[in-house]
Amino acid sequence: MIPLVPITALYTGLLALLLLVLALRIIRLRWKLRVGIGDGGDRSMLRAVRAHGNAAEYVPITLLLLLAVELNHGNPLLLHACGAIFVGSRVLHAIGLTRSGGPSWPRAAGTLGTMAVVIVLAVSAIAGFVR
């Protein structure tokens, strides 16, 4: 029997929706700017592509870590805290990067939140093995 992983399922769904929103933003800009591939030299297109790309780089490993910890009977409160912080961090990062290619508080907060969650889940996954 396949074990149920409702916490990971919740955050996978939420993050899938976020990735979809970021992808739709790229599609909208492509139509508006008539850019078929790449960024067409447009800074807003470049930022939209990188906001999506950055999320696509961090979401899979974080969900794998969340799944590993959940399968190893990790604390549900810790899992929900990590999931919620990660979703919020990815939203903040996307907002910050979409608005400006330079430093911004949403982008910095999103980066810090993302890194903190990855570290906590990685340590938890390793601790699950050691136990």
Side-chain angles (χ1 to χ4, degrees), residues 103-118:
S104 67
W105 79 262
R107 188 173 175 192
T111 299
L112 289 173
T114 295
M115 296 299 166
V117 167
V118 170

Side-chain angles (χ1 to χ4, degrees), residues 36-51:
I37 193 165
D39 61 31
D42 185 271
R43 295 182 82 56
S44 63
M45 175 63 82
L46 175 61
R47 289 192 309 269
V49 167
R50 282 312 309 143

Side-chain angles (χ1 to χ4, degrees), residues 8 58-72 74 78-79 82 86 114-126:
T8 301
Y58 281 99
V59 166
I61 189 62
T62 305
L63 288 174
L64 283 172
L65 287 166
L66 194 71
L67 177 63
V69 175
E70 186 170 9
L71 287 172
N72 282 323
L78 174 72
L79 291 167
C82 285
F86 186 71
T114 295
M115 296 299 166
V117 167
V118 170
I119 290 167
V120 167
L121 288 174
V123 169
S124 296
I126 293 166

Side-chain angles (χ1 to χ4, degrees), residues 92-110:
L92 282 173
H93 187 273
I95 289 169
L97 187 53
T98 298
R99 289 184 182 165
S100 167
S104 67
W105 79 262
R107 188 173 175 192

Side-chain angles (χ1 to χ4, degrees), residues 14 59 85 94 131:
L14 291 172
V59 166
I85 291 168
R131 275 188 280 162

Side-chain angles (χ1 to χ4, degrees), residues 26 29-31 33-42 45-46 49:
I26 294 169
L29 280 171
R30 287 198 184 286
W31 279 90
L33 301 171
R34 300 188 191 283
V35 174
I37 193 165
D39 61 31
D42 185 271
M45 175 63 82
L46 175 61
V49 167

